[in-house]
Amino acid sequence: MNEQIRITPIRLIGAEGEAHGIVPTAQALEMAREAGLDLVEVADKERPPVCKIMDYGKFKYAQSKKSHQKTHQQKLKEIRVRPKTGDHDIQTKINQARQFLEHNDKVQVNVLFRGREMQHIEEGQRVMNQVLEALQNDCKLETPAKMEGKRMVALLAPKSSGPEKGGNQGAPKPKPKPAPAQAVGAAAPAPKPQAPAAVTSAAPAAKPPVPPKA
């Protein structure tokens, strides 16, 4: 960077990305000083090496931020409750599940049954419904509640960003069903009988002549 660049000449790129071609290193340094910026070597393997006029501090910050950015890998989180779990503890579990969903993780809700609790599945269903209803605006139900051995399980997935968040506004309207096609070879439908034409009044027919009396 700057005076540490010993090779001359260099291929110079300006602060706005404009190409200045091959110039002496001393001239490139003078141009960087006039702009209040630094001359940074960005491609030292090239011949001549490529240097750019830039703010070196901002450049290093951007590089550091980029290197620390990692794509979030979706994980499967679990919350566990019992048929006799109290409302306060259930609310705590709901808050945990909501945080997992906000971090784009899936959540498996488990209602665990022990001993005689298996005889009262409806109590576990009540707790499951309480959790699902509280989270219905924060997720989509990927797998409805079902029994797996001695536990009831439901799988929740985070809502994807986009039209789905707007409810049914982005849902496509159902297309009208096409009229059923006439079967090949089927006889054409019989024409509807036409209404009789209106009878027009005609002049009375002439009476035949009366024969003379004998």
Side-chain angles (χ1 to χ4, degrees):
M1 182 181 71
N2 295 332
E3 287 80 5
Q4 296 175 356
I5 302 173
R6 302 294 185 181
I7 300 177
T8 188
I10 61 171
R11 187 178 299 276
L12 181 62
I13 300 175
E16 302 298 328
E18 69 277 15
H20 291 281
I22 298 174
V23 301
T25 304
Q27 180 182 342
L29 279 169
E30 186 62 30
M31 294 171 63
R33 291 192 189 98
E34 290 178 356
L37 299 172
D38 302 298
L39 182 66
V40 181
E41 195 173 41
V42 294
D44 58 344
K45 302 298 183 183
E46 298 292 331
R47 287 294 177 266
V50 180
C51 298
K52 185 176 181 180
I53 297 175
M54 66 173 71
D55 186 325
Y56 185 69
K58 289 184 178 179
F59 172 74
K60 289 296 291 182
Y61 174 77
Q63 289 293 320
S64 175
K65 187 176 180 180
K66 185 177 180 180
S67 65
H68 284 81
Q69 284 180 342
K70 296 182 180 179
T71 304
H72 177 74
Q73 298 294 328
Q74 191 176 64
K75 300 177 182 177
L76 178 61
K77 303 290 187 176
E78 292 188 34
I79 61 170
R80 299 179 181 182
V81 289
R82 297 275 307 283
K84 295 182 180 180
T85 300
D87 290 341
H88 176 75
D89 292 332
I90 291 176
Q91 187 59 49
T92 300
K93 297 292 185 179
I94 290 171
N95 293 337
Q96 290 178 355
R98 185 173 287 118
Q99 291 178 0
F100 295 149
L101 293 166
E102 289 175 354
H103 284 82
N104 202 37
D105 291 323
K106 292 186 178 183
V107 177
Q108 181 173 291
V109 182
N110 300 283
V111 181
L112 307 179
F113 296 87
R114 294 179 182 175
R116 296 182 180 180
E117 291 175 348
M118 288 295 294
Q119 300 176 6
H120 302 282
I121 302 295
E122 68 279 0
E123 287 298 316
Q125 185 67 61
R126 177 189 62 81
V127 174
M128 175 67 77
N129 291 341
Q130 183 177 348
V131 174
L132 298 183
E133 288 175 6
L135 295 172
Q136 61 183 347
N137 294 328
D138 304 283
C139 68
K140 54 185 177 183
L141 185 61
E142 189 165 289
T143 303
K146 61 180 180 180
M147 290 297 299
E148 292 184 357
K150 292 186 178 182
R151 64 177 181 171
M152 184 179 296
V153 177
L155 183 60
L156 311 180
K159 281 188 175 182
S160 58
S161 58
E164 291 185 4
K165 288 191 174 181
N168 295 329
Q169 295 178 359
K173 296 182 180 179
K175 296 182 181 179
K177 295 182 178 179
Q182 183 178 346
V184 177
K192 294 183 180 180
Q194 296 182 352
V199 179
T200 56
S201 58
K207 296 181 179 180
V210 180
K213 294 181 180 181

